[in-house]
Amino acid sequence: MSLENFRSEVVEFLQNNCPESMRQPVREESDTFWGGRNATFKNADQEKWFHVMAERGWTTPGWPKEYGGGGLSKDEASILHQEMRRLNCRPPLFSFGIWMLGPALLRFGSEEQRLKYLPDIVNGRTWWCQGYSEPGSGSDLASLQTSAVSDGDHYIVNGQKVWTSYADKADMIFALVRTDNTQKKQIGITFLLIDMEWEGISTRPIKLISGKSPFCETFFDNVRVPKTNVVGEEHGGWSVAKYLLTHERSNISTAVDSDVMTPLSFYAKKSLGIGNDGILKDPAIRAKVAEWEIDGAAFKFTLDRINQEMKAGHSAGAKSSFMKYYASELNKRKYELRLECQGKRALAWEGEDYDEGKIARQFCRSKGNSIEGGTSEIQLNIVAKHILGLPGK
Amino acid sequence: MAYVITEEQQLLQESAADVLKKAPVATVRQLRDSRDDKGFSHPLWDDIVQMGWPGIAASEELGGLDFGFRSLGLVMEEKGRSLSASPLLSVCLSSRILQKFGTDQQKEIVQKINAEGTVVACAVQEGDFYQPLDVRCAAIPEKEGYVISGQKDFVADAHVADYLLVSAHSDEGLMTVILNKEQAGVSVEKEFMMDSRYYSKVALDNVRIEKDDVVGSVGKGKEVLNDLTNVGNALLSAELLGLAMETFERTNEYLKERRQFDRPIGSFQALQHRAADLFGELEIAKSISIKALDALDEQDFMTPALCSMAKAKCVQVAQRATNEAIQMFGGIGMTDDEEIGFFLKRARVAAQQFGGYSYHLDRFARMSGY
Ligand SMILES: Cc1cc2nc3c(=O)[nH]c(=O)nc-3n(C[C@H](O)[C@H](O)[C@H](O)COP(=O)(O)OP(=O)(O)OC[C@H]3O[C@@H](n4cnc5c(N)ncnc54)[C@H](O)[C@@H]3O)c2cc1C
């Protein structure tokens, strides 16, 4: 089928199958569907939208069919993405399995692991969380100390993870553990898949400045994990971890992209008003809004450009780092400007008139963008070293 | 919409880089120091005409190559990298205007541009700032034509021009007219700017023109001037991008070379982060510049907004790249011997041509309804 035919088919499919309410911006947490063993849908529209997409494997359009994916080519997948964006369709499934673990399994997993885990990701049956950071190991991730000691065909895992998003809701965790302490810190890390129901795992939610508790401390107390759950090589988990991080970063950039659906100037106009001269009443804010909108648009074009360059065979390499960096800073600037543009309205912390303080809470949440997935400073280090070739000490 | 260039376009860009190597920054310096009366290398301009660059975006019927503005942008980028001066921007711009709006007779000038390198300068600014629709230069009807009086400023290449494209207001609205520079009442006084190039004051003292000299028709003036603003700025965004990339690459090399405290200065994180941040800004600027040029080729309805966005962003990035360069070069960066200063100076002049940063921010915001 030609790409143009494919596009018209996609448009028709989306128009017929994506309910109107699924084409509205996400307002609250329950508007996003994360799946999992105990999945519940907010309403029938959300359920319908999820099922029609999962049936075709379009929750993961580019994954191979044998693992339940959509089997689309890169071009087809980006057409689907474009058309969903154009019609404002919400992603049918939010999942660290899709954004992070899946790509790592496709690259490093055994055939058995792929067949076992990927279809459950596509169909939203497993909610995965990410066990990387520890209290003593954030930016310096490779210094992690959660230990896995060999015991026959199992490991015994002990230690603590922190900032584990959704650990209290997730079914499984992909975790980095130390299996060898005698070498350079990057060697001796192993990438393990662990069921959150197994004996010895507990979680404790952490409350954030947004007032929400999406992430947790996660404790491992003599947890027995079969060795068949190692992804990649024993002691070789660092390459899996890094590969996964590039996907996490690209995903953070794309998430910011989809959030710029409503232009900032829309809010500014609504709150500040337009004068008789046809221009925004506050000239200082006007200039900042225009600067932001130019950067926001140019950032979107850059995402498109890098996608096209990748398709043409250029490697994206460390570009995911600067895109992640740029996206985070852009989103933080946007929420600062929404506070400036919208005055009191953006400060309310609760109340139905204010979507339960959505703007203020998102403002707080945006501060995490430049920390999660590797801080802005770490991204700049990566760009300096790997793109600019600047020397170390 | 293609961000990735074709093989043909790549060849064009490589050959542009090759040709412009003949006039490296050293040539700019030499032209400056000898106070060359043109301010650009004439042999290089002959080569450029030979290569057909003035007609890259012009139609084949008029002797152009019909490669589009995206391709012309690649040449502009190389022009920015080499800082080479020439009337290329002026002729591409006037040629676009005459091709799009001109009468058949006026289109013959486009053919002359492409065949012989005839120079047409765009005299549309008045005073110190670019406000193209705020025109004081007057066209008073007289017999079969008009009498034009007024003064234009900051006109690139007027000192070497054969023709001038001039904006004027009349009772029937804004218009642009094409004048022969030798016509009675036209006087050109060149001024030497920071980028070692000449820009001119053009005085028009009762210059008599025929109706046929009006570009398109009288009522078209605003449309012409808007188009000129779009195209001029999309092309300048590409030049500024090339300039900024070259400056950045030179700085990055210096960071690896220069040692202090027994290590390369590029190993200091304070400098690494500023360089990495600037790298990101350059990538962003590149995308919007390409998008604007592409919009011109595709006749996208967003073209005017995109051209202003591209200019604003590239001005901002070129400003940062040149400032960071001088700071990171240290004392050497302040010397006339080091070439980095030439980039700083060209960046500031190119920024103001056809509207500076705040002009385009404002233009973009207005077009977006605020
Ligand atoms: C919203 C959110 C969700 C998260 N979700 C998860 C998750 O699901 N799973 C998970 O494992 N982790 C998660 N994290 C954790 C995240 O990956 C870490 O917070 C991050 O890697 C930074 O580590 P840290 O908090 O220990 O900060 P630190 O590493 O202590 O950094 C403190 C400051 O020092 C700076 N710094 C550190 N090293 C350098 C250096 N070499 N050069 C310059 N500056 C430096 C940092 O940039 C930062 O500004 C999440 C974090 C947030 C905010």
Side-chain angles (χ1 to χ4, degrees):
Chain A
M1 186 181 354
S2 80
L3 286 178
E4 279 323 297
N5 285 344
F6 179 75
R7 188 185 294 277
S8 32
E9 220 173 70
V10 164
V11 173
E12 196 187 325
F13 170 82
L14 293 175
Q15 271 163 351
N16 292 338
N17 289 283
C18 185
E20 195 44 50
S21 71
M22 293 294 110
R23 299 189 209 176
Q24 305 300 323
V26 168
R27 291 205 164 275
E28 50 184 49
E29 194 93 351
S30 63
D31 286 342
T32 59
F33 177 65
W34 287 80
R37 289 173 195 155
N38 309 314
T40 49
F41 292 97
K42 182 182 182 181
N43 52 42
D45 278 354
Q46 194 183 58
E47 185 169 3
K48 175 187 170 204
W49 175 227
F50 168 72
H51 283 302
V52 289
M53 290 297 275
E55 232 161 66
R56 304 189 142 211
W58 282 9
T59 44
T60 55
W63 293 9
K65 279 213 152 107
E66 61 258 47
Y67 309 122
L72 300 188
S73 69
K74 276 190 181 156
D75 284 330
E76 291 169 337
S78 66
I79 287 177
L80 175 60
H81 176 73
Q82 282 162 14
E83 294 305 326
M84 284 177 67
R85 197 162 81 176
R86 226 166 40 80
L87 293 172
N88 295 337
C89 305
R90 287 182 191 164
L93 177 62
F94 288 71
S95 153
F96 290 2
I98 296 177
W99 304 327
M100 303 182 210
L101 180 64
L105 283 179
L106 283 168
R107 169 90 176 253
F108 294 96
S110 66
E111 184 60 10
E112 209 185 328
Q113 288 170 337
R114 294 182 196 161
L115 288 169
K116 180 163 176 191
Y117 297 112
L118 294 178
D120 284 349
I121 293 175
V122 179
N123 293 301
R125 285 191 290 262
T126 311
W127 185 332
W128 284 93
C129 66
Q130 177 189 31
Y132 273 32
S133 308
E134 296 179 7
S137 305
S139 299
D140 184 12
L141 180 60
S143 70
L144 61 96
Q145 289 304 331
T146 295
S147 77
V149 176
S150 175
D151 180 30
D153 51 8
H154 280 72
Y155 292 112
I156 312 291
V157 177
N158 278 291
Q160 185 196 338
K161 295 289 173 183
V162 71
W163 321 129
T164 329
S165 300
Y166 307 111
D168 52 342
K169 299 196 175 105
D171 309 308
M172 300 276 296
I173 184 167
F174 49 91
L176 297 177
V177 296
R178 184 154 301 283
T179 40
D180 185 350
N181 234 333
T182 61
Q183 316 230 21
K184 199 174 126 197
K185 64 187 173 184
Q186 284 83 358
I187 302 168
I189 293 173
T190 299
F191 192 103
L192 271 188
L193 307 178
I194 305 175
D195 197 309
M196 294 298 280
E197 281 175 17
W198 287 343
E199 199 55 40
I201 299 185
S202 55
T203 60
R204 190 190 303 152
I206 306 169
K207 189 170 172 182
L208 300 189
I209 52 177
S210 62
K212 308 243 159 106
S213 305
F215 60 32
C216 302
E217 294 175 285
T218 306
F219 302 93
F220 299 87
D221 181 15
N222 286 317
V223 181
R224 284 180 68 79
V225 181
K227 285 189 175 165
T228 48
N229 279 23
V230 172
V231 177
E233 309 269 324
E234 183 183 56
H235 312 319
W238 188 240
S239 11
V240 186
K242 278 196 302 187
Y243 180 77
L244 185 143
L245 277 174
T246 61
H247 281 271
E248 177 175 7
R249 285 167 192 158
S250 309
N251 192 70
I252 293 174
S253 324
T254 327
V256 168
D257 170 32
S258 58
D259 196 37
V260 289
M261 244 153 53
T262 315
L264 190 54
S265 54
F266 169 84
Y267 302 110
K269 281 189 241 181
K270 209 166 132 180
S271 302
L272 294 164
I274 298 284
N276 291 333
D277 51 1
I279 66 176
L280 198 67
K281 279 194 178 142
D282 184 324
I285 293 182
R286 175 174 182 257
K288 288 197 231 177
V289 168
E291 280 182 326
W292 189 91
E293 289 197 333
I294 291 174
D295 286 343
F299 173 74
K300 275 185 162 197
F301 301 146
T302 308
L303 279 176
D304 293 342
R305 177 163 68 84
I306 289 180
N307 272 333
Q308 278 192 19
E309 287 172 354
M310 269 161 57
K311 269 192 234 148
H314 305 241
S315 121
K319 284 198 175 165
S320 70
S321 282
F322 98 76
M323 293 305 281
K324 192 273 173 181
Y325 165 71
Y326 207 90
S328 319
E329 300 301 327
L330 205 54
N331 205 39
K332 290 201 297 184
R333 252 169 82 199
K334 174 169 119 180
Y335 278 100
E336 288 296 346
L337 284 170
R338 284 198 61 179
L339 257 53
E340 266 191 77
C341 286
Q342 295 184 271
K344 181 207 78 173
R345 168 151 301 276
L347 302 175
W349 198 245
E350 51 189 37
E352 236 174 84
D353 283 353
Y354 305 101
D355 274 343
E356 299 303 329
K358 185 184 168 202
I359 305 171
R361 287 168 194 267
Q362 285 191 340
F363 163 79
C364 291
R365 175 62 183 85
S366 72
K367 300 300 173 196
N369 296 147
S370 50
I371 302 171
E372 62 199 314
T375 66
S376 279
E377 289 75 18
I378 294 301
Q379 306 312 322
L380 292 174
N381 287 349
I382 295 173
V383 172
K385 185 171 168 197
H386 295 288
I387 298 183
L388 305 183
L390 292 172
K393 259 175 237 155
Chain B
M1 158 83 223
Y3 286 101
V4 181
I5 54 176
T6 62
E7 231 165 86
E8 203 179 17
Q9 287 172 320
Q10 194 169 343
L11 285 174
L12 174 69
Q13 183 162 21
E14 282 164 13
S15 82
D18 266 355
V19 171
L20 294 174
K21 259 193 216 120
K22 289 189 214 154
V25 183
T27 310
V28 182
R29 179 194 298 282
Q30 185 250 316
L31 290 164
R32 178 196 68 180
D33 293 346
S34 65
R35 269 309 179 102
D36 182 271
D37 62 353
K38 293 199 182 64
F40 61 87
S41 149
H42 221 276
L44 176 75
W45 176 236
D46 289 341
D47 283 351
I48 288 177
V49 175
Q50 276 287 310
M51 308 273 301
W53 295 352
I56 288 178
S59 76
E60 284 181 57
E61 287 149 55
L62 298 178
L65 299 173
D66 212 4
F67 282 173
F69 285 100
R70 172 80 164 96
S71 301
L72 181 54
L74 297 171
V75 172
M76 291 301 293
E77 204 177 300
E78 293 306 321
K79 190 170 181 286
R81 278 185 180 273
S82 68
L83 295 184
S84 74
S86 74
L88 185 63
L89 176 64
S90 297
V91 300
C92 289
L93 204 46
S94 43
S95 154
R96 148 77 171 203
I97 297 300
L98 295 174
Q99 177 178 325
K100 184 165 177 189
F101 300 95
T103 60
D104 286 346
Q105 200 188 345
Q106 290 162 354
K107 284 183 191 161
E108 282 171 18
I109 299 179
V110 177
Q111 280 171 319
K112 283 187 8 188
I113 291 175
N114 293 331
E116 304 158 23
T118 294
V119 175
V120 184
C122 302
V124 289
Q125 178 165 331
E126 297 181 1
D128 291 342
F129 295 96
Y130 185 70
Q131 284 296 348
L133 304 182
D134 188 6
V135 183
R136 272 155 297 167
C137 181
I140 315 278
E142 188 201 72
K143 290 185 212 145
E144 289 307 292
Y146 294 91
V147 179
I148 313 254
S149 293
Q151 171 149 334
K152 299 291 172 178
D153 259 299
F154 199 33
V155 184
D157 307 309
H159 63 304
V160 292
D162 304 292
Y163 296 93
L164 301 170
L165 198 65
V166 173
S167 55
H169 79 81
S170 72
D171 289 346
E172 302 147 86
L174 286 180
M175 63 166 95
T176 42
V177 301
I178 181 106
L179 301 177
N180 194 313
K181 202 176 83 181
E182 302 308 322
Q183 220 158 307
V186 178
S187 57
V188 172
E189 184 195 335
K190 66 185 180 188
E191 298 176 319
F192 195 63
M193 296 285 159
M194 179 160 72
D195 61 351
S196 311
R197 301 184 190 191
Y198 290 108
Y199 298 80
S200 300
K201 274 195 175 128
V202 175
L204 304 160
D205 182 15
N206 290 311
V207 180
R208 298 200 144 66
I209 62 153
E210 314 268 307
K211 275 226 160 72
D212 288 350
D213 299 328
V214 175
V215 177
S217 58
V218 174
K220 282 267 183 212
K222 193 172 163 192
E223 208 183 310
V224 169
L225 291 165
N226 277 330
D227 192 60
L228 190 135
T229 302
N230 296 337
V231 177
N233 285 294
L235 293 174
L236 279 164
S237 80
E239 179 182 342
L240 281 161
L241 178 72
L243 179 155
M245 291 196 298
E246 177 73 21
T247 308
F248 178 72
E249 285 160 22
R250 289 179 178 218
T251 310
N252 200 33
E253 281 315 303
Y254 191 72
L255 291 177
K256 294 174 192 171
E257 234 165 63
R258 169 73 176 165
R259 296 178 71 86
Q260 283 293 282
F261 300 97
D262 295 323
R263 49 177 174 139
I265 56 170
S267 66
F268 297 119
Q269 199 183 45
L271 301 189
Q272 288 186 343
H273 281 191
R274 278 156 55 184
D277 182 72
L278 187 50
F279 168 82
E281 290 287 346
L282 280 162
E283 289 286 318
I284 297 288
K286 182 175 176 182
S287 311
I288 186 87
S289 172
I290 294 176
K291 187 83 184 173
L293 292 160
D294 211 74
L296 283 170
D297 288 331
E298 313 251 301
Q299 300 172 12
D300 190 322
F301 76 101
M302 287 285 290
T303 301
L306 287 166
C307 291
S308 277
M309 291 159 86
K311 177 70 177 317
K313 189 68 205 174
C314 290
V315 165
Q316 186 193 50
V317 172
Q319 185 185 52
R320 263 186 69 188
T322 49
N323 285 342
E324 288 289 50
I326 297 214
Q327 181 63 22
M328 293 188 193
F329 271 82
I332 289 280
M334 286 300 292
T335 63
D336 187 58
D337 270 349
E338 168 51 52
E339 291 187 344
I340 230 56
F342 285 83
F343 289 87
L344 173 85
K345 292 186 261 187
R346 172 62 192 151
R348 295 307 182 277
V349 179
Q352 289 292 330
Q353 283 187 279
F354 302 110
Y357 182 71
S358 52
Y359 173 80
H360 288 287
L361 212 56
D362 176 74
R363 187 170 183 254
F364 162 71
R366 274 176 206 278
M367 285 188 284
S368 311
Y370 63 98

